[in-house]
Amino acid sequence: MLIDLRKIPTRIIACPDKGTTRYKDVTAMAQRVGLHYEVYQSVYMGSKTLGCALAHLRALKDAPAPCLVLEDDCEETPHFRHRFEVPDEADVVSLAINTAGIPLSEHPSPRLTLNPPSPRLHETRKIPRYVFGGAVATEYNETFLRIHNMLGGTAYLYITEKAIKETCEAIVDYMTILSDWDNAMARLQKQRLLVLTPRRPFLYQKYDKDQTYRETGLTPCRIWKNWTMPGSSIG
């Protein structure tokens, strides 16, 4: 599929009514690179975790596919491109990277126990731990790496309706355990969605102290065959 970022809708999560530097910077960037964008108001709920999750949910709930969703702390890198080919089977492309990730093995930590009226429905909800430097990427093709467990939501290009639908459902689920919404996306990378990232990031998290995000992507590695999601050819 040929993507032209100037011809697809972009939804920016920002705070226009507060006149913040981030809002001014991200909208200036969008204008500079020619994005067709709308601004979706950030949500304050007394909890950054819930507010961020709800903001992404609002931006995605009626989004067409493809659609680009940006947070207010992103800026273009020297590798930014408007037009590029995306494999037809891809669900999402992360145009920015983060080095933090949830563990590849299934060892979640308890967070909240729900006690509904029926004892049969008793459930202990769990969320995955996260590891700085734990984001895993593997070779996919000459242009893209595949990411498997990456946190962060700076710049996601949602290619398919399936990706939008499943991300919305996962965000709602994770809101019930007061977990950061990007934990939901990291788990979808592991289990449900094919998520790719350019070898050189198109965008980066401007206010992060790790400025290497501007220049270098994730380093590809190999992972155990018995871990990979069904249909993966990586061993």
Side-chain angles (χ1 to χ4, degrees):
M1 174 187 293
L2 178 63
I3 294 291
D4 189 331
L5 295 178
R6 295 165 294 191
K7 296 181 179 180
I8 66 172
T10 296
R11 300 187 169 190
I12 298 174
I13 298 171
C15 292
D17 60 339
K18 296 183 180 179
T20 62
T21 298
R22 289 190 176 197
Y23 168 73
K24 294 176 182 177
D25 288 351
V26 73
T27 52
M29 181 275 293
Q31 294 169 18
R32 186 166 60 245
V33 300
L35 300 180
H36 177 63
Y37 70 92
E38 296 177 84
V39 175
Y40 281 68
Q41 178 76 36
S42 299
V43 181
Y44 177 74
M45 299 182 64
S47 164
K48 182 178 179 181
T49 292
L50 285 176
C52 187
L54 186 56
H56 277 270
L57 187 61
R58 289 174 61 187
L60 283 172
K61 68 175 184 178
D62 60 348
C67 179
L68 177 62
V69 178
L70 304 178
E71 293 185 340
D72 64 1
D73 58 352
C74 70
E75 189 161 296
E76 80 272 30
T77 74
H79 315 292
F80 183 88
R81 294 163 54 191
H82 294 105
R83 288 165 55 89
F84 52 97
E85 286 281 349
V86 174
D88 291 340
E89 65 273 19
D91 292 303
V92 181
V93 177
S94 179
L95 299 182
I97 61 104
N98 192 316
T99 56
I102 64 173
L104 295 180
S105 59
E106 294 295 329
H107 297 293
S109 56
R111 169 59 69 89
L112 180 69
T113 299
L114 303 179
N115 292 288
S118 170
R120 184 176 60 84
L121 297 178
H122 177 85
E123 179 184 12
T124 300
R125 303 300 302 280
K126 297 180 179 182
I127 63 169
R129 296 168 290 114
Y130 63 90
V131 180
F132 290 111
V136 171
T138 50
E139 298 282 355
Y140 196 77
N141 63 21
E142 293 181 357
T143 306
F144 294 101
L145 302 176
R146 179 177 182 175
I147 51 179
H148 295 269
N149 65 335
M150 189 184 78
L151 295 170
T154 304
Y156 275 123
L157 172 62
Y158 295 85
I159 303 294
T160 63
E161 293 180 358
K162 168 190 172 183
I164 293 172
K165 178 178 181 293
E166 295 205 4
T167 302
C168 287
E169 291 174 352
I171 290 174
V172 171
D173 185 50
Y174 270 62
M175 287 175 68
T176 67
I177 56 174
L178 304 180
S179 175
D180 292 333
W181 84 271
D182 57 349
N183 272 311
M185 173 55 79
R187 183 162 289 276
L188 286 174
Q189 294 166 19
K190 289 176 61 175
Q191 298 176 340
R192 305 279 298 175
L193 301 179
L194 176 58
V195 183
L196 305 178
T197 190
R199 291 177 182 270
R200 297 285 185 178
F202 290 8
L203 297 157
Y204 76 106
Q205 196 170 4
K206 180 180 180 180
Y207 299 99
D208 194 284
K209 294 180 181 179
D210 188 350
Q211 294 297 301
T212 60
Y213 288 178
R214 296 181 73 243
E215 298 294 335
T216 59
L218 296 172
T219 302
C221 65
R222 294 176 64 85
I223 56 180
W224 293 109
K225 185 178 296 185
N226 62 0
W227 173 81
T228 55
M229 60 187 290
S232 172
S233 60
I234 296 177

